[in-house]
Amino acid sequence: MSSASELAHLELLADVDSLMSDLETWGDRAPDWPAARHARALIKRLAERTSTLRVRLDAPLVVATMGGTGTGKSTLVNALVGFEVSQSGRQRPTTRQPTLICRPDLSPEQFGIDPDSVLLVQRDVPALRDLVLIDCPDPDTTEDAEQPGTNLARLRELLPHCDVLLVVSTQQKYRSARVNDELAMAAPGARLVFVQTHADVEEDIRDDWRQVLSEDYATGEIFFVDSLSALADAKAGVQPRGEFARLLEFLGRELAGTPAKRIRRANFLDLVSQTLAACRERIDASAPAIEQLEAGIAEQRGRLAAQLARQMHDELIRSRRLWESRLLGEIATHWGFSPFSCVLRVYQGLGGLLSSATLMRARTPAQLALWGAMEGGRRFRSRRQESHAEAATARAVALGWDEGQLRTSAIIVDGYAAEAGFSREEAHLAVVEREAAAAGATLVSSASAELQALVSRLAARHTPGAVRWRYELALGGLLILLLYRFGRNFFFDSWLAAELGFSEHAQPVLGTDFFLASAIVLLLWCGVLLWAFTSRLRRGVRGEIDSLSTRWNNPQLASAVFSGLDARCRAVHHFRQDLERLERRVTDMQHRLQAPEPRLGHRIS
């Protein structure tokens, strides 16, 4: 073997091994989906057929005859070899058992063929130097191909081992539907040579035959030969003549050496391309059901998210006291120590008691999120309390959605999943409820963080000096007035006035009534200031809540619902993307490959 031929051989091996490795990996990663399982089965069959290709890479090309009953397949084989090596007959299906004709140093095992399945004929003639001939059984038979041992079953077992098919037909047989069906099954992964026989008695139908085949095949050159005359010439020692000579020369030149390796590489790529096309056809046919399932999941997630957003919005609006308590505590922290901040702290302390009891009463995700925002980053002191909080979260979230709504969503998505061919277990109500709980927990976590940020933002809006000192002066003025009244009475009216000679201004020390009245006035005034201040806070809260609920009305926040089916859909999309990548790779390899002789036919669709 020359260095160039050896390099071509190694390149072919590398192409086969690399591509098949990627194909098998792709098939092994097929998701649990009918179209993907079908693709995996096709890839497995392709791998089996490719293994036979590797077996015969160093062997001559295998050329098999294929055609209807009485088309002269056996006569053509005899004429090519120059001897009577196969029984022939024009009117009846003479070929029963396939006949393999090769050189004496070759055997069926070298081509991956079971020796018991063929009749072996060995001849040392020039025509068999670079090729092996197989005279195949007739495909236009009433036998069942699924029955072992029948002619049709033998034919289908042999054809995957063939590199080139001599498609033989006549004026009566070239439109045979049965033959054409078998050819369509056999053509992927093989080059074709079309031959019309019986040139001595029939009209030339090659143009019409080419037209019949044009939709599915590139026919190349079609030969029109008289096999009987060619066999007679061979027996008489006469050199081949006419069309038969051209056919013999064509086969000898294009089926040996480097052209043979190009044929094998092209056959392999064609077989892979058509296998992937079959996978693509099945996957594309099933894709609309996947898209419908994804649309159904998105629709139900949108409905669930909208329901939960409305519920949380209503809950937050009803929980104004908690809002005030948290906001007042945040503002008091910013203000530090001052008269009005002390009032805010006392008022907020009452809210703290309510906040502490909120977790125990939490029955919805909104209440739990609000509790989280109220408590900030406070941690539980023991694992037992943490477990209790997690259990409370699960209970709260489970009640976040209406069971009827979840059941309706589960039924709808279950129908889409069944149409897509997915397992329906992941659309059961119990599974959906667990996923809804997980989605609610995610929303609670997100909502708590957003509420905390909202509280901080509102608190910062109400901490400027102009706002603060307005209330500090209002409260401080009353305190100063009350202290002045008490101080004047205690030091001047009841003591210094008499000592200094202002007896007419002397008054007794103020009693309990004064302090009680002062306390009432102070409480009322604090209440008025608190009302004014909290009213100011509430005016911005409603808009913030509306804005939050709009953001929460997002199907992404319910992404945990139907997450199992969603993951299956994504796996299908990844599977399709990998298929596209493999198709592009095969197409690129076909473009880079030097094509075999264009006079060789091949299947194009």
Side-chain angles (χ1 to χ4, degrees):
M1 183 182 292
S2 68
S3 59
S5 177
E6 184 176 359
L7 178 60
H9 176 67
L10 292 175
E11 288 177 349
L12 177 56
L13 282 174
D15 287 344
V16 171
D17 290 342
S18 175
L19 186 54
M20 281 309 305
S21 176
D22 287 350
L23 287 167
E24 289 175 347
T25 299
W26 176 69
D28 292 340
R29 293 176 179 174
D32 187 13
W33 180 50
R37 291 195 295 269
H38 176 75
R40 181 170 54 209
L42 286 177
I43 295 301
K44 183 177 180 181
R45 287 184 173 272
L46 174 64
E48 293 172 354
R49 184 161 176 180
T50 303
S51 66
T52 66
L53 171 65
R54 289 188 59 85
V55 169
R56 64 177 192 270
L57 280 178
D58 293 322
L61 289 182
V62 178
V63 181
T65 59
M66 183 175 185
T69 303
T71 55
K73 300 187 300 299
S74 299
T75 304
L76 178 61
V77 169
N78 292 334
L80 291 173
V81 176
F83 294 95
E84 291 275 0
V85 293
S86 183
Q87 185 180 1
S88 61
R90 285 195 176 187
Q91 302 301 323
R92 57 188 179 84
T94 304
T95 306
R96 293 290 184 179
Q97 185 176 14
T99 303
L100 188 148
I101 307 101
C102 64
R103 302 191 317 247
D105 59 329
L106 299 177
S107 63
E109 292 92 332
Q110 292 178 256
F111 312 100
I113 298 174
D114 180 4
D116 295 332
S117 66
V118 296
L119 176 64
L120 179 63
V121 176
Q122 295 177 314
R123 292 286 188 276
D124 189 7
V125 295
L128 298 177
R129 183 184 60 190
D130 297 311
L131 56 85
V132 170
L133 288 172
I134 299 181
D135 187 14
C136 291
D138 305 321
D140 50 346
T141 174
T142 57
E143 295 175 326
D144 185 359
E146 303 301 324
Q147 283 291 112
T150 62
N151 285 352
L152 200 53
R154 293 192 190 101
L155 176 66
R156 290 185 179 180
E157 289 175 2
L158 278 174
L159 290 178
H161 301 278
C162 302
D163 302 297
V164 178
L165 297 181
L166 283 178
V167 184
V168 183
S169 192
T170 63
Q171 185 176 356
Q172 290 76 30
K173 292 285 186 175
Y174 75 100
R175 290 180 177 271
S176 170
R178 186 64 182 268
V179 175
N180 289 337
D181 288 343
E182 293 300 322
L183 176 62
M185 295 177 60
R191 281 301 184 265
L192 309 174
V193 179
F194 292 90
V195 181
Q196 180 187 351
T197 56
H198 300 178
D200 56 329
V201 295
E202 292 186 356
E203 297 180 2
D204 187 346
I205 48 86
R206 287 180 290 176
D207 289 340
D208 191 44
W209 193 13
R210 183 178 287 109
Q211 183 66 31
V212 170
L213 297 170
S214 61
E215 185 175 343
D216 299 314
Y217 301 91
T219 56
E221 183 173 358
I222 301 179
F223 296 90
F224 187 28
V225 303
D226 180 359
S227 302
L228 288 175
S229 297
L231 179 59
D233 287 344
K235 290 180 177 180
V238 178
Q239 290 294 323
R241 295 174 291 174
E243 283 280 305
F244 186 80
R246 292 180 57 248
L247 171 63
L248 202 60
E249 185 271 336
F250 174 75
L251 296 179
R253 187 183 71 250
E254 297 301 329
L255 304 187
T258 300
K261 289 182 170 54
R262 285 201 297 267
I263 287 174
R264 282 209 167 102
R265 187 183 287 112
N267 287 350
F268 169 67
L269 292 178
D270 285 352
L271 179 61
V272 172
S273 177
Q274 292 182 38
T275 301
L276 293 180
C279 295
R280 161 72 60 188
E281 182 179 1
R282 180 67 67 91
I283 289 173
D284 287 347
S286 303
I290 297 295
E291 295 169 359
Q292 189 176 30
L293 172 59
E294 290 179 312
I297 290 174
E299 180 184 359
Q300 297 309 311
R301 283 176 174 173
R303 293 176 60 185
L304 294 173
Q307 178 189 357
L308 193 57
R310 286 194 302 270
Q311 180 181 345
M312 294 187 71
H313 175 272
D314 295 342
E315 186 67 36
L316 293 176
I317 292 297
R318 287 194 297 267
S319 303
R320 290 190 299 271
R321 182 66 185 86
L322 289 175
W323 276 99
E324 292 173 18
S325 174
R326 184 66 183 90
L327 281 170
L328 292 175
E330 190 81 13
I331 292 170
T333 301
H334 286 306
W335 283 8
F337 184 80
S338 64
F340 191 66
S341 69
C342 290
V343 173
L344 293 181
R345 290 178 188 276
V346 171
Y347 183 71
Q348 193 267 342
L350 299 176
L353 296 176
L354 180 60
S355 176
S356 299
T358 301
L359 177 62
M360 302 304 296
R361 299 187 299 106
R363 289 297 180 269
T364 67
Q367 291 173 340
L368 195 66
L370 194 57
W371 176 84
M374 298 305 107
E375 291 299 297
R378 185 177 302 173
R379 300 188 177 205
F380 291 103
R381 294 183 180 181
S382 68
R383 180 60 189 170
R384 181 178 179 183
Q385 289 174 308
E386 289 178 358
S387 300
H388 177 74
E390 292 170 0
T393 300
R395 289 193 301 271
V397 172
L399 296 174
W401 274 295
D402 177 72
E403 183 179 353
Q405 178 66 44
L406 287 177
R407 186 182 300 276
T408 300
S409 298
I411 292 173
I412 293 174
V413 173
D414 177 73
Y416 290 137
E419 291 180 9
F422 285 148
S423 170
R424 300 168 63 180
E425 293 180 359
E426 292 169 329
H428 287 175
L429 180 60
V431 176
V432 174
E433 286 178 341
R434 288 197 300 270
E435 293 175 336
T442 301
L443 182 56
V444 165
S445 176
S446 173
S448 296
E450 291 195 66
L451 288 173
Q452 178 66 28
L454 184 150
V455 168
S456 300
R457 187 167 60 252
L458 287 176
R461 186 186 302 172
H462 293 86
T463 55
V467 176
R468 173 181 179 180
W469 290 112
R470 186 185 312 166
Y471 292 94
E472 295 288 3
L473 289 174
L475 179 59
L478 179 60
L479 290 173
I480 291 172
L481 180 62
L482 293 176
L483 288 174
Y484 170 77
R485 178 71 182 88
F486 171 73
R488 177 183 173 83
N489 172 263
F490 183 81
F491 291 103
F492 182 77
D493 293 340
S494 64
W495 177 30
L496 293 178
E499 294 291 335
L500 296 175
F502 298 99
S503 301
E504 67 277 10
H505 296 290
Q507 295 181 7
V509 177
L510 295 173
T512 306
D513 292 343
F514 169 77
F515 292 104
L516 183 60
S518 297
I520 292 174
V521 169
L522 182 60
L523 288 174
L524 290 175
W525 185 237
C526 288
V528 170
L529 294 179
L530 282 172
W531 173 82
F533 189 75
T534 54
S535 296
R536 176 185 175 88
L537 294 180
R538 291 192 195 104
R539 283 195 292 270
V541 166
R542 181 60 184 260
E544 293 286 352
I545 292 176
D546 290 342
S547 177
L548 279 179
S549 63
T550 299
R551 292 200 298 273
W552 289 336
N553 188 8
N554 181 358
Q556 283 299 112
L557 294 177
S559 58
V561 185
F562 305 116
S563 58
L565 289 173
D566 194 29
R568 286 176 176 268
C569 292
R570 289 196 304 273
V572 167
H573 289 308
H574 292 156
F575 191 68
R576 294 182 68 187
Q577 291 168 2
D578 289 341
L579 172 59
E580 293 171 0
R581 177 181 57 81
L582 289 170
E583 287 178 318
R584 288 194 298 269
R585 178 179 175 184
V586 171
T587 301
D588 180 64
M589 292 175 66
Q590 287 175 319
H591 287 163
R592 288 188 288 108
L593 173 68
Q594 182 179 356
E597 166 63 48
R599 288 194 293 168
L600 285 167
H602 60 93
R603 185 172 175 83
I604 58 177
S605 65

